[in-house]
Amino acid sequence: MLSTDPNKDKAATELTVHNEIQPVLDTHVNKDYVPDEYREIDNGDIAVDALGGTVHDLPKGYYRSKNFIGTLIALCLALTSCYFGFVMPANVLGIINEDIGPNPNYVWVSMIVSWNLTQAVAFVLVGRLSDLLGRRWFFIGGNAIGLIGSIIACTAHNIPVLIIGTALIGIGAGVQLSFGIVIGELIPNKYRGLGISCIFVSALPTTAFGPVIIRAIIDNTKAGWRWSYYINVIILAITVALFYFCYHPPTYEQLHARSTRRVPWWKMVDFLGIILFTGGLLVFLLGLSWGGSVYPWKSGHVIGFLVGGAAMLILLVVWEIWGAGEYPLIPMKFFKNRQYIGTILTAAVGSMVYYSLLVLWPMQISVLYETDSMAIGWKSCIVSAASLLGQGLCGVLVRVLGRHKLQMMVGISTLTAFTGAMAATTPFTPHMAVAFIFLASVFLGYVENVALTIGPFCLDPGDLGLALGLLGATRSTLATTAQAIFVTILNNKLIVNIPKYVIPAVTNAGLPQSSVDALLAGLSVGNFTAVPDITPTIVMAAVASNKEAYSQSFKIVYLAAIAFGGCGILAALNAPNSESKFTDIIPRKMHDKNLDNKVAQSKVVDTEN
């Protein structure tokens, strides 16, 4: 029977809310209350009911619940979206530029500002802030930003607008590629590598066959390359909905329920650190992207941006050490952890090769080996498909083989060997080139998954997000740097080698010296109709010698990659052996969505009181 006394009803409501939410909000629970088996995953503040423990400590049917399954599907779709927004457009940049260009900055759609850079910033911000404030809204919001970017990109009618859309997609990609944070928290440690590889494999169609899919779409649809972004809009709309309804990780209140003092969320955000980190990285890498392409390396634009960006990053370090206080954006103590730094630098070298090959390998195929669009697409699949195979193999073998330092050393050494071996390929050795690229990419994927699996084991469980965030940001930043370096080397060598090999060949074939400049101009666009005195024999000589010029130029790029690989081998010497970490422990568990409403209701009650 309901009471007619409103004061009694209010008191009853307050008591009910208090009893239900107290385990989450209580700030005075003694740390000794935590069971011994949870010590490995307890950071001293988190509510006991948010700790995972082992499989036996989870609610019945936890891994069969709609929340857990919905979260997994959301992670898989998010990663699929990530590759739709990058791998596909990256393979048809020339076609896109012809359609809505031409614009010399079209390469930014897959390079500095538009993807890797924004992704690097997002990695750190999402990793660090979600450790402190809770992960739910970062994964919802990040994918929503990617959705907005895809809508902008699919409607773009010029390159600058497409770059803006891709930059937003890059922010979303930083969240999407942070799926290891979610997997690392919700499944037993011993299955972490397998879980990460399963998410990678779920994106098989776009990861492995994206180049073929996008070229088939272009050949058979009126909208062409825009379908890459149309499909991305559909995928991301579903992804955002799944994260909203299914993903309920520990809340901000749960993460700090046992703290001896309540700190407002905004005091945990290092705003100045965010400004210095984001601004410094953007300015520095923008200057790096301009060097040798938009402006000469010695120009004031390039030097000014490089120096300005570096200065901001130096100020960031000073601020993080002496001014950021209790909650710095990037705790400098992490850089004293030799095993962690060795792990992320090894992974970074792999990514430097990966993202560079995604751009350079299709170019090499089209110039040296194939002219048919679909044939170029199929061969372009090799890098992503083989790296996916390596990631899958790692998921199966990383725990079984153990000796993770040796795994990383063998992986990065083999990657370096086969990448360097590409310097021996010529226009007449297409099968050898395919074999070397395939083997290099397999070990590239293997190394990446080992690093994602064992890197967080070097730090506290409460720093899982930042551990993977720094790893991802380091990989993206150095990959961007490597792209700029490799493309600059290639362009500089082509400037020398094309005249060196083409001019003697065509003049010996009968081309007058007065027509050489016109032929070189025609060679760059593949059209010789404007060249005076041109003959089929001269065309054949020009094409053959141009291939040789490119072959010699690519050789220098691959030899330069050996130097980066050597740095990766040295870094791998510091990687840990983490066999003891592959346990049944589960760091965190999701809760029922009603908890968010109870927390909000408790705050209303506290305010009224």
Side-chain angles (χ1 to χ4, degrees), residues 7 125 178 202 273 353 592:
N7 292 329
L125 297 186
S178 298
S202 71
V353 176
D592 186 84

Side-chain angles (χ1 to χ4, degrees), residues 13-14 16-18 20-22 24-25 66-67 136-137 244-245 247-254 591-606:
T13 300
E14 291 179 0
T16 300
V17 172
H18 176 82
E20 289 181 344
I21 204 64
Q22 189 62 27
V24 178
L25 300 180
K66 66 178 181 63
N67 282 355
R136 172 175 158 80
W137 286 104
Y244 180 81
F245 289 109
Y247 184 47
H248 299 279
T251 64
Y252 168 72
E253 285 76 13
Q254 285 181 307
H591 58 74
D592 186 84
K593 65 180 181 180
N594 293 326
L595 179 61
D596 295 322
N597 296 329
K598 293 174 183 177
V599 171
Q601 190 175 359
S602 71
K603 292 179 179 178
V604 173
V605 171
D606 288 342

Side-chain angles (χ1 to χ4, degrees), residues 468-486:
L468 289 174
L470 277 177
L471 190 154
T474 304
R475 287 167 49 219
S476 293
T477 302
L478 293 183
T480 298
T481 304
Q483 270 192 356
I485 293 172
F486 289 153

Side-chain angles (χ1 to χ4, degrees), residues 219-233:
D219 290 342
N220 294 282
T221 66
K222 183 178 180 180
W225 58 268
R226 294 182 188 276
W227 269 107
S228 173
Y229 298 109
Y230 291 153
I231 296 173
N232 213 25
V233 169

Side-chain angles (χ1 to χ4, degrees), residues 286-414:
L286 184 58
L288 192 65
S289 72
W290 281 347
S293 56
V294 180
Y295 301 104
W297 282 105
K298 62 182 180 180
S299 73
H301 292 83
V302 174
I303 296 174
F305 271 67
L306 289 175
V307 173
M312 290 184 72
L313 293 175
I314 292 172
L315 286 175
L316 170 69
V317 174
V318 174
W319 168 255
E320 297 297 86
I321 295 175
W322 288 291
E326 186 177 355
Y327 300 102
L329 176 66
I330 305 175
M332 292 295 113
K333 64 180 182 180
F334 287 2
F335 295 98
K336 297 179 181 179
N337 189 322
R338 182 170 55 85
Q339 293 182 334
Y340 175 68
I341 295 302
T343 300
I344 66 174
L345 288 180
T346 306
V349 169
S351 292
M352 292 167 77
V353 176
Y354 175 69
Y355 287 112
S356 299
L357 289 181
L358 282 178
V359 175
L360 295 175
W361 174 237
M363 185 190 305
Q364 184 172 355
I365 298 168
S366 61
V367 173
L368 300 186
Y369 304 126
E370 300 287 352
T371 56
D372 180 71
S373 175
M374 290 304 296
I376 294 171
W378 278 110
K379 283 187 169 64
S380 297
C381 292
I382 294 171
V383 175
S384 295
S387 64
L388 184 65
L389 174 61
Q391 289 161 346
L393 289 173
C394 176
V396 175
L397 299 176
V398 65
R399 180 170 70 97
V400 176
L401 296 180
R403 301 174 68 95
H404 302 109
K405 177 188 292 188
L406 182 60
Q407 287 190 50
M408 295 198 76
M409 288 181 62
V410 171
I412 196 68
S413 298
T414 311

Side-chain angles (χ1 to χ4, degrees), residues 24-28 43-47 50 129-134 250-265 268 327:
V24 178
L25 300 180
D26 187 4
T27 61
H28 301 292
N43 66 356
D45 289 342
I46 189 169
L129 297 182
S130 69
D131 280 343
L132 297 172
L133 308 179
T251 64
Y252 168 72
E253 285 76 13
Q254 285 181 307
L255 292 174
H256 306 284
R258 292 162 50 232
S259 175
T260 56
R261 58 190 179 88
R262 186 63 58 87
V263 179
W265 70 266
M268 294 184 178
Y327 300 102

Side-chain angles (χ1 to χ4, degrees), residues 180 184 189-194 196 337-347 394 397-409 446-460 464 467-468 471 571-582:
N189 288 344
K190 66 181 181 181
Y191 297 129
R192 183 176 293 181
L194 184 60
I196 291 173
N337 189 322
R338 182 170 55 85
Q339 293 182 334
Y340 175 68
I341 295 302
T343 300
I344 66 174
L345 288 180
T346 306
C394 176
L397 299 176
V398 65
R399 180 170 70 97
V400 176
L401 296 180
R403 301 174 68 95
H404 302 109
K405 177 188 292 188
L406 182 60
Q407 287 190 50
M408 295 198 76
M409 288 181 62
Y446 195 97
V447 168
E448 181 180 48
N449 203 353
V450 174
L452 289 172
T453 302
I454 69 172
F457 287 145
C458 300
L459 305 175
D460 294 334
L464 173 64
L468 289 174
L471 190 154
L573 292 172
N574 298 288
N577 289 315
S578 302
E579 292 90 344
S580 63
K581 301 291 186 179
F582 283 73

